[in-house]
Amino acid sequence: MRTFYMIKNIFLILCGEDEIKRPRSRHLLFMLKRQSQYKIIISWFSSFIVHPDSSESSRIAHYLIKHGILRSNILLEEQSMDTLGNIIFSHHITELLLKQYHHISTITLITETFHLYRSQRLFSCIFNHLLKRYNLQSYFMGSENQEL
């Protein structure tokens, strides 16, 4: 008898966070304390080369793994260099997950609060058919990169 691994939630985290404070990553870690069946898509290579030896998404993945997230739950999207690319390239990964796992019910986009409106609009346009076809609920979470 085969055991099937189910996932119920997809978390899409857009990079660009403060690497010391890590507000998006910490927000995600807090949310995952109540979750058990999920995949995380971390989206972005970089819009500028700060660390030429690694992508920003791989550095966030390393941080999450260091804090107890299994590497098998993390998917890296490393082609995008702007918000539109984040959404388009993550759409493809999401569609593959939806075809593979049939019990996904939610997708949550996490980005900086300042960046949330634009990300949400792009997400809604590009993901609309997936949300309808797979009867997905979408959520949008903002986190602050800096203290006010």
Side-chain angles (χ1 to χ4, degrees):
M1 177 193 268
R2 281 181 66 179
T3 303
F4 291 98
Y5 176 73
M6 289 190 347
I7 66 169
K8 293 184 180 180
N9 307 293
I10 296 173
F11 295 93
L12 171 56
I13 187 166
L14 304 187
C15 296
E17 71 179 353
D18 181 306
E19 288 195 24
I20 296 171
K21 296 177 185 173
R22 292 262 182 235
R24 297 172 205 180
S25 299
R26 288 183 186 184
H27 192 96
L28 178 62
L29 287 171
F30 176 76
M31 291 174 57
L32 292 178
K33 288 181 181 181
R34 297 171 292 202
Q35 307 286 329
S36 61
Q37 300 168 325
Y38 59 86
K39 290 287 186 183
I40 302 165
I41 301 169
I42 305 172
S43 179
W44 202 8
F45 181 75
S46 181
S47 57
F48 51 92
I49 305 293
V50 176
H51 302 281
D53 55 334
S54 67
S55 68
E56 189 167 344
S57 55
S58 67
R59 290 191 304 279
I60 288 178
H62 178 72
Y63 176 84
L64 294 173
I65 292 165
K66 186 174 156 184
H67 287 84
I69 303 299
L70 296 175
R71 176 62 181 100
S72 60
N73 287 344
I74 299 172
L75 301 162
L76 302 181
E77 181 288 297
E78 297 183 305
Q79 297 178 64
S80 61
M81 299 179 95
D82 58 20
T83 307
L84 181 59
N86 291 146
I87 303 303
I88 289 173
F89 292 117
S90 295
H91 173 274
H92 177 69
I93 295 169
T94 301
E95 190 167 27
L96 293 174
L97 288 173
L98 290 167
K99 288 177 181 178
Q100 183 177 0
Y101 301 100
H102 302 286
H103 299 285
I104 299 171
S105 59
T106 66
I107 183 164
T108 303
L109 184 140
I110 303 171
T111 191
E112 184 179 2
T113 302
F114 175 79
H115 191 240
L116 191 59
Y117 178 75
R118 176 178 44 178
S119 302
Q120 183 177 358
R121 297 277 302 191
L122 289 170
F123 177 92
S124 295
C125 289
I126 294 169
F127 275 73
N128 187 45
H129 74 285
L130 287 181
L131 297 174
K132 288 180 181 178
R133 182 187 311 156
Y134 293 95
N135 196 27
L136 293 171
Q137 294 291 318
S138 58
Y139 299 97
F140 304 95
M141 310 289 295
S143 62
E144 295 299 328
N145 245 356
Q146 41 191 312
E147 297 175 74
L148 299 175

